């Protein structure tokens, strides 16, 4: 079925209005900033945007404007912006996790070394006590006296 020039102009106006809304970030629930949503919002068949169909130039214009916004750092689709934010946050968290794992590894190594040193020192103390007890030429010092200060005694 052929459409009249007035109908075509009306459709183009609806498409441009829907295009402006989408590029401002007014995305309908369940939609995206894409041709499918543009066609749905303008109440036009999506196939009219492809090939030699009547609104192919509007698809090109929409894609060009969308790309220009993205290059300027603006993302009209809030879900796309959220995805970009989450990807950046994920990279930051992965970096933090890598650093934390590195620190944990270093601390585990330090703990193992400290425990080994303590065990070696303990063994040395036990050895010295045994050798001191076996030797008769070692004189033991008396235990330290406790002195009372004041009127307690």
């Amino acid at each position: 079925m052929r459409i009249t020039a007035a109908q075509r102009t009306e459709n183009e106006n609806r498409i441009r209005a829907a295009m402006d809304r989408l590029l401002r970030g007014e995305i309908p629930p369940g939609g995206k900033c894409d041709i499918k949503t543009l066609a749905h919002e303008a109440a036009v068949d999506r196939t009219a945007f492809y090939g030699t169909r009547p609104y192919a130039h509007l698809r090109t214009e929409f894609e060009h404007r969308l790309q220009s916004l993205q290059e300027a750092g603006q993302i009209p689709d809030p879900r796309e912006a959220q995805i970009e934010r989450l990807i950046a946050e994920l990279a930051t968290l992965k970096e933090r996790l890598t650093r934390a794992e590195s620190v944990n590894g270093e601390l585990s190594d330090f703990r193992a070394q400290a425990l080994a040193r303590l065990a070696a020192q303990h063994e040395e103390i036990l050895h010295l006590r045994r050798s001191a007890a076996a030797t008769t030429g070692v004189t033991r010092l008396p235990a330290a006296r406790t002195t009372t200060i004041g009127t307690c005694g």
Side-chain angles (χ1 to χ4, degrees):
M1 175 175 177
R2 302 200 48 81
I3 60 173
T4 65
Q7 289 173 326
R8 183 175 174 153
T9 303
E10 181 183 328
N11 286 347
E12 285 186 7
N13 289 337
R14 278 199 325 269
I15 292 169
R16 287 186 195 282
M19 189 184 311
D20 291 337
R21 285 193 309 273
L22 290 176
L23 293 175
R24 277 195 311 266
E26 298 174 20
I27 312 294
K32 298 180 181 177
C33 194
D34 61 359
I35 296 298
K36 181 179 178 182
T37 306
L38 176 64
H40 182 269
E41 286 294 297
V44 176
D45 185 33
R46 182 175 52 159
T47 59
F49 289 101
Y50 296 99
T52 59
R53 300 291 179 116
Y55 308 121
H57 68 284
L58 292 174
R59 176 183 55 91
T60 306
E61 178 184 336
F62 175 72
E63 290 171 348
H64 176 71
R65 288 177 59 188
L66 179 61
Q67 184 179 9
S68 296
L69 284 174
Q70 289 172 341
E71 287 172 359
Q74 298 176 352
I75 302 175
D77 191 345
R79 289 184 308 160
E80 290 294 324
Q82 182 181 24
I83 289 169
E84 292 295 322
R85 181 184 55 79
L86 291 174
I87 288 172
E89 186 177 333
L90 177 64
T92 302
L93 290 174
K94 282 182 177 180
E95 181 182 324
R96 280 182 53 196
L97 178 62
T98 302
R99 281 184 294 176
E101 287 174 346
S102 173
V103 168
N104 284 343
E106 291 171 8
L107 291 175
S108 293
D109 291 345
F110 177 76
R111 179 178 180 258
Q113 289 175 359
L115 287 174
R117 287 180 187 150
L118 285 172
Q121 289 171 355
H122 180 69
E123 286 299 318
E124 182 67 19
I125 290 170
L126 292 178
H127 171 71
L128 291 173
R129 283 182 182 165
R130 282 192 300 268
S131 65
T135 306
T136 56
V138 175
T139 305
R140 295 221 174 249
L141 296 175
R145 286 189 275 159
T146 59
T147 55
T148 307
I149 300 175
T151 58
C152 294

